[in-house]
Amino acid sequence: MFIVTGKLSDKSIMKTGVSEKGIWKIMTFLIEKTRKRKPIKIPFTAKGKLADKINDIAIGEKITIRFFIEGKKYNDKYFTDCVAIEIDKFV
């Protein structure tokens, strides 16, 4: 598990659907973090209740995210995704 704090800079429209296991929700969002005066943007994925939580946070607010990195193989190419486990407003 990893932890990062940064400013919420953008978020996508929430995607929802129904599967065999029930209703699902997913949302992607960007965190902006400054490293040696150069801003970097990190994309994250929030699923389920965390998607609702990130949807309620305004762009520009500072948040802390606990996440893990997930890798997938598709068409003989590998992709990584930062999946949020916990999201808190920075105090």
Side-chain angles (χ1 to χ4, degrees), residues 5-66:
T5 298
K7 183 174 68 171
L8 180 63
S9 65
D10 196 12
K11 53 187 173 179
S12 69
I13 295 172
M14 187 180 309
K15 296 177 186 175
T16 60
V18 179
S19 70
E20 297 171 352
K21 297 180 181 179
I23 298 171
W24 56 267
K25 299 176 187 178
I26 191 166
M27 176 179 259
T28 56
F29 61 98
L30 286 175
I31 293 297
E32 187 174 307
K33 188 166 178 62
T34 304
R35 183 177 177 181
K36 296 184 181 179
R37 298 186 190 184
K38 181 181 178 185
I40 58 170
K41 294 188 179 185
I42 307 166
F44 288 92
T45 301
K47 299 175 182 178
K49 292 179 183 177
L50 289 177
D52 289 329
K53 190 170 187 177
I54 202 71
N55 198 33
D56 294 338
I57 297 174
I59 291 177
E61 284 195 57
K62 200 169 185 181
I63 58 176
T64 299
I65 304 162
R66 287 173 182 75

Side-chain angles (χ1 to χ4, degrees), residues 74-90:
Y74 180 73
N75 286 341
D76 291 328
K77 293 182 182 178
Y78 288 92
F79 300 90
T80 56
D81 196 16
C82 297
V83 180
I85 300 170
E86 189 176 316
I87 301 170
D88 296 311
K89 289 185 180 180
F90 186 75

